[in-house]
Amino acid sequence: MSFFRTSDKLSLYYTDEGAGLPVLCLAGLTRTTRDFDYVTPHLNGVRLIKMDYRGRGKSDWDTDWKNYALPVECRDVIELLDHLELDQVAVIGTSRGGLNAMGLAMGAKARLLGVALNDIGPVIEPEGLAFISGYLGRAPAAKTLVDAARAMETTYTGFTDVPFSRWMEEAEKHFEQTTKGLQITYDPRLRDAVEAVGAQAAPDLWPYFDALEDLPLACIRGEASNLLSRDTLAEMQRRRPDMIAVTVHGRGHIPFLDEPEAVAALQTWIEILK
């Protein structure tokens, strides 16, 4: 396992595999490097780097939950690139990872080769935020991984033709089985950080999206996404007519990224970058 130490002395976990175009995978809010297991076999000819944010997965928890913030996470990304001696990297950003990619475009654009957004844009729908707040920072009611997988199968709306084995994989990524039941794989105080942001007026994120100008750009949206609306994607396309944009049928938030539409979009984006 590989770790690097941040400027504020936290040990953060990352993986670094393959050779070629450096591609950094940034996961969703509560997720980990394992979020990208499904798509990894489809990304050929790249140096694939994945990182667990502070407070998630195998990375250290922060004693100050206020540091579970996008600017700090962007700083961590820059410090990882410095640790790896990489001047530039392409980013695949899932949900929160896409917000971090836009933040990097605003504050450290010279470090980016391109960005692919997975079911995220500059307008975040309240319905999706409400769904996330319902489980954030709390152990699930389910006591076993099988029960958790069954719950996902019914509560993750918009997903069709997903075998139960995939929901089991998802449960194994999201939770750890203990003698006391299932535990989440991240610091519960992440909830405090998200609630603190939610108590403030929502910032205008369109300037952050516009900061991606001139970078090869892709966006993958789940057909039934409750976080990225069709209207927002349409406005993103209006502003960036060159953006590779696909909608994955039978998926909500978030596509797994191994769907044919998602794979084709990412492979096309990578070819542009090479």
Side-chain angles (χ1 to χ4, degrees):
M1 293 192 293
S2 299
F3 297 85
F4 76 101
R5 193 160 293 278
T6 65
S7 54
D8 57 353
K9 310 306 180 185
L10 265 63
S11 177
L12 302 190
Y13 171 75
Y14 71 94
T15 63
D16 184 358
E17 301 174 324
L21 175 77
V23 176
L24 173 64
C25 296
L26 297 178
L29 175 64
T30 64
R31 296 170 178 253
T32 69
T33 59
R34 296 190 63 196
D35 223 20
F36 298 94
D37 287 356
Y38 307 126
V39 73
T40 294
H42 302 283
L43 302 180
N44 300 315
V46 301
R47 176 181 174 183
L48 200 59
I49 304 158
K50 307 168 189 174
M51 183 185 81
D52 281 350
Y53 300 124
R54 58 179 61 210
R56 283 80 138 190
K58 297 183 178 71
S59 291
D60 284 348
W61 291 7
D62 200 310
T63 56
D64 183 356
W65 58 262
K66 296 183 183 67
N67 287 330
Y68 297 139
L70 293 170
V72 176
E73 291 169 7
C74 286
R75 186 186 72 198
D76 290 341
V77 169
I78 295 299
E79 292 180 0
L80 172 61
L81 299 187
D82 291 344
H83 171 76
L84 296 174
E85 299 182 345
L86 280 170
D87 292 331
Q88 292 181 302
V89 69
V91 172
I92 300 174
T94 289
S95 197
R96 187 178 180 94
L99 296 179
N100 274 317
M102 288 188 278
L104 289 166
M106 180 67 82
K109 190 173 183 177
R111 306 302 294 267
L112 295 177
L113 294 169
V115 169
L117 303 169
N118 181 21
D119 213 59
I120 191 68
V123 178
I124 302 173
E125 296 302 314
E127 179 187 354
L129 289 176
F131 179 77
I132 292 170
S133 67
Y135 67 78
L136 182 60
R138 297 167 175 158
K143 298 303 180 185
T144 68
L145 291 172
V146 171
D147 289 342
R150 288 176 178 148
M152 287 181 174
E153 193 174 30
T154 57
T155 59
Y156 280 52
T157 58
F159 287 82
T160 60
D161 299 322
V162 179
F164 186 71
S165 59
R166 174 56 61 90
W167 293 119
M168 277 299 299
E169 290 179 87
E170 286 292 287
E172 290 165 359
K173 291 174 182 178
H174 281 75
F175 308 112
E176 293 179 355
Q177 184 75 63
T178 73
T179 55
K180 298 180 180 180
L182 298 181
Q183 298 297 321
I184 53 179
T185 58
Y186 60 92
D187 185 350
R189 301 214 71 185
L190 181 60
R191 182 181 184 89
D192 296 319
V194 172
E195 287 182 339
V197 171
Q200 304 170 11
D204 179 7
L205 297 180
W206 282 108
Y208 289 81
F209 176 78
D210 292 337
L212 296 167
E213 182 182 11
D214 299 327
L215 291 174
L217 180 62
C219 184
I220 297 159
R221 177 182 178 269
E223 180 183 32
S225 174
N226 58 10
L227 207 73
L228 174 61
S229 72
R230 288 190 296 271
D231 289 345
T232 298
L233 180 60
E235 176 60 14
M236 292 163 70
Q237 290 178 279
R238 188 191 71 78
R239 295 186 184 217
R240 284 294 305 270
D242 61 324
M243 180 177 74
I244 300 165
V246 297
T247 296
V248 182
H249 301 290
R251 295 292 181 265
H253 183 77
I254 52 174
F256 298 117
L257 291 185
D258 63 347
E259 302 89 353
E261 306 98 318
V263 169
L266 290 173
Q267 289 179 342
T268 300
W269 173 72
I270 286 171
E271 286 303 313
I272 293 171
L273 287 163
K274 287 183 175 179

